[in-house]
Amino acid sequence: EEDARQARLEDPALRDREERIRDQQAELDAARRKAAEEEEMLRREEARLVAAREQERLRRELAEEEERTRRQQEGFEAKRRALEEERRNLEEEEDRRRQEQALL
């Protein structure tokens, strides 16, 4: 085993081949690290997009709820005005009846 190793070290062609293999392995390792980093970056970006979509969905829901509440409030206000008008009309009618009674 040691003799084979020594023979490889002494043979320039084998030494060059082993060096190229080591260089290629280093390049491969670097490419794998870069791919893993890019994959992690993509996962983070995907998570950010999911969060942004959820935030937009919640914003739309809130805007819809605010619009429903505004319309409901407008409806209540219109009903209050109508009831107020009805109350005034009833009071005026009651006042007229009293005046008519007083004249009799």
Side-chain angles (χ1 to χ4, degrees):
E1 177 73 25
E2 184 60 32
D3 289 340
R5 182 174 156 352
Q6 188 62 34
R8 282 195 311 269
L9 291 175
E10 292 172 2
D11 183 346
L14 287 175
R15 225 179 18 245
D16 287 347
R17 184 170 182 258
E18 285 184 354
E19 189 174 316
R20 279 195 311 275
I21 290 172
R22 279 193 303 273
D23 290 346
Q24 289 172 347
Q25 186 63 47
E27 289 173 5
L28 181 59
D29 291 345
R32 284 180 179 149
R33 280 192 302 276
K34 184 176 179 183
E37 289 169 1
E38 289 175 356
E39 190 174 320
E40 181 59 28
M41 185 182 66
L42 288 173
R43 274 195 294 273
R44 279 193 224 119
E45 180 65 15
E46 186 176 312
R48 188 192 68 73
L49 288 173
V50 166
R53 281 188 213 110
E54 178 64 10
Q55 186 177 17
E56 178 60 22
R57 183 187 67 80
L58 292 172
R59 188 200 63 72
R60 277 193 314 272
E61 284 182 12
L62 179 60
E64 290 168 1
E65 185 60 32
E66 287 172 345
E67 180 63 20
R68 278 192 296 275
T69 300
R70 185 188 62 75
R71 284 194 306 264
Q72 189 178 40
Q73 186 175 358
E74 288 173 352
F76 289 154
E77 184 61 28
K79 190 170 192 172
R80 184 196 63 75
R81 284 192 304 272
L83 290 171
E84 182 68 25
E85 180 67 27
E86 185 179 347
R87 182 188 63 75
R88 277 195 300 275
N89 289 341
L90 289 172
E91 287 175 351
E92 288 173 2
E93 188 178 320
E94 184 64 27
D95 286 345
R96 276 195 302 277
R97 281 191 195 141
R98 282 192 197 124
Q99 288 174 356
E100 288 173 4
Q101 288 287 328
L103 292 176
L104 293 179

